[in-house]
């Protein structure tokens, strides 16, 4: 759900980030290896889309650091070189997947989704609780058989609550997993999103506030 795009070509980085956000991910972008390491140290990312030729700290060194720290963040390495030798070298460094530039964007999204599934505990592609059903592959959700018209953020929050299987999820965890680093924790973004999601789920109310613990479905 949360992805870091580390790419020194800023236009390409923002295009990739915009496409991933439309696919339902929370995305941050950085343009150098030292910034990538700083962000990876601050946030718990599912996947990093890592350009191999980053300035200041090389992408190879970023990958080495993640492997040395036994990070759960999966690495999708990008490079302008598509030779077999470079691909093997990148995978040997610890990358989980490898793509050459230029690439087809739908394939990139598909590979990020696949890596995200490997980074998290196994979750079935379809989740269901209290009459709410969610298809994480097609990104569709229903209540009592009626399709819900959810924004990407509302869908992500609903998925996190369903994955918790009735356990409360804190506002801090929702913010960490469904929003990017630019989200202000004091804006009430989580509360506003939950209010809209509750309205779309309809009556009787399904999402409850657990005092001192967060929200549960």
């Amino acid at each position: 759900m949360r992805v870091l795009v580390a790419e020194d070509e800023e236009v390409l980085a923002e295009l990739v980030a915009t496409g991933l956000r439309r696919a339902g991910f929370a995305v941050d972008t950085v343009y150098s290896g030292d910034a990538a390491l700083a962000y990876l140290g601050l946030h718990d990312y599912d996947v990093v889309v890592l350009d191999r030729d980053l300035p200041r700290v090389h992408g190879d060194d970023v990958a080495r650091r993640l492997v040395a720290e036994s990070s759960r963040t999966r690495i999708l390495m990008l490079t302008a070189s598509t030779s077999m030798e470079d691909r093997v070298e990148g995978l040997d460094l610890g990358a989980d997947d490898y793509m050459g530039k230029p690439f087809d964007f739908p394939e990139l999204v598909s590979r990020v989704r696949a890596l995200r599934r490997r980074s998290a505990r196994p979750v079935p592609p379809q989740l269901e609780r209290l009459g709410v059903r969610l298809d994480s592959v097609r990104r569709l959700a229903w209540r009592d058989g009626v399709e819900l018209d959810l924004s990407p953020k509302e869908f992500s929050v609903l998925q996190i609550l369903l994955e918790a299987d009735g356990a409360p999820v804190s506002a801090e965890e929702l913010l960490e997993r469904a929003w990017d680093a630019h989200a202000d924790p004091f804006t009430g973004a989580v509360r506003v999103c939950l209010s809209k999601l509750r309205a779309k789920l309809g009556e009787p109310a399904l999402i409850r506030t657990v005092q001192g613990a967060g929200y549960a479905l």
Side-chain angles (χ1 to χ4, degrees):
M1 285 187 185
R2 190 155 190 180
V3 179
L4 178 65
V5 176
E7 165 61 62
D8 67 329
E9 297 179 38
E10 295 188 21
V11 173
L12 176 59
E14 295 307 323
L15 285 172
V16 170
T18 298
L20 289 172
R21 290 185 187 113
R22 288 174 178 166
F25 294 98
V27 186
D28 297 321
T29 53
V30 293
Y31 314 117
S32 64
D34 56 344
L37 289 173
Y39 269 62
L40 288 162
L42 286 172
H43 305 290
D44 185 19
Y45 292 99
D46 297 292
V47 178
V48 55
V49 179
L50 181 65
D51 179 40
R52 192 168 183 186
D53 297 315
L54 289 173
R56 295 203 283 276
V57 176
H58 198 273
D60 289 358
D61 294 322
V62 175
R64 289 189 186 98
R65 179 80 67 85
L66 288 172
V67 172
E69 294 174 352
S70 300
S71 172
R72 77 172 192 90
T73 301
R74 301 297 181 179
I75 303 169
L76 173 56
M77 189 171 278
L78 300 179
T79 182
S81 174
T82 57
S83 72
M84 176 65 72
E85 292 79 8
D86 281 339
R87 187 156 55 246
V88 169
E89 186 178 1
L91 294 170
D92 284 344
L93 284 168
D96 298 281
D97 202 353
Y98 197 96
M99 290 187 72
K101 301 176 187 177
F103 50 81
D104 292 324
F105 193 77
E107 182 182 1
L108 175 69
V109 173
S110 179
R111 292 195 186 199
V112 169
R113 282 199 180 115
L115 289 177
R116 189 264 167 184
R117 288 194 293 270
R118 290 168 56 187
S119 72
R121 65 181 177 84
V123 175
Q126 294 209 11
L127 299 163
E128 189 164 359
R129 181 175 174 81
L130 302 176
V132 176
R133 184 164 60 90
L134 180 146
D135 186 324
S136 62
V137 177
R138 294 189 293 159
R139 296 193 65 79
L140 297 173
W142 302 263
R143 180 173 185 181
D144 298 328
V146 178
E147 187 173 341
L148 302 170
D149 181 19
L150 303 181
S151 71
K153 198 69 67 184
E154 292 159 359
F155 186 94
S156 295
V157 169
L158 180 60
Q159 181 173 349
I160 293 168
L161 293 174
L162 285 168
E163 288 177 1
D165 197 25
V169 180
S170 69
E172 292 77 13
E173 182 178 351
L174 288 171
L175 193 68
E176 170 70 20
R177 294 178 60 188
W179 275 263
D180 61 30
H182 299 292
D184 185 343
F186 302 106
T187 61
V190 172
R191 178 177 51 80
V192 171
C193 182
L194 279 163
S195 176
K196 292 179 179 178
L197 179 57
R198 281 171 164 146
K200 290 183 178 181
L201 286 169
E203 298 293 338
L206 293 178
I207 299 174
R208 57 192 175 90
T209 301
V210 182
Q211 192 66 32
Y215 305 92
L217 190 150

